[in-house]
Amino acid sequence: MFDFKTDCIKPEGMHAGWQTSGTVKVCHLAFNLWNGYAQEGREKLFAPEELFCCEFALYFMEGIKARYPEYCRDLPTPKKQTEHTR
């Protein structure tokens, strides 16, 4: 998923056999947080509306806090919801 020699992401890894719908969303968010990457022609898949509509949303927020601490300093840690709402 990442080429450490060239310091670049490898988007072709998104089609690997081990990927699930959830891990694809995790990778999309990671790519986007790394350098703003959104696959050309599939930008919608990298939009918050698409990414955060899953069971990993709370963890995604933690990733955003880690990436942008200067903007998230005063945000409280969210309480876990018992039911998913859309």
Side-chain angles (χ1 to χ4, degrees):
M1 298 293 307
F2 191 81
D3 184 340
F4 289 95
K5 288 182 182 181
T6 61
D7 197 35
C8 293
I9 57 173
K10 295 165 52 174
E12 60 273 8
M14 297 305 297
H15 307 291
W18 58 268
Q19 289 279 24
T20 66
S21 61
T23 61
V24 166
K25 288 182 184 216
V26 171
C27 292
H28 282 172
L29 180 65
F31 289 173
N32 195 276
L33 289 175
W34 174 258
N35 65 1
Y37 177 84
Q39 186 176 358
E40 192 173 320
R42 304 185 85 197
E43 294 87 357
K44 183 178 186 266
L45 297 177
F46 291 80
E49 180 180 272
E50 177 68 26
L51 291 175
F52 283 79
C53 188
C54 71
E55 68 273 17
F56 300 119
L58 289 174
Y59 303 106
F60 289 171
M61 286 305 300
E62 294 304 312
I64 289 170
K65 286 181 189 179
R67 175 65 174 89
Y68 300 105
E70 65 275 19
Y71 302 115
C72 302
R73 208 176 351 259
D74 298 326
L75 291 178
T77 302
K79 295 178 183 156
K80 188 170 183 167
Q81 290 181 331
T82 54
E83 261 188 60
H84 297 286
T85 56
R86 200 161 190 203

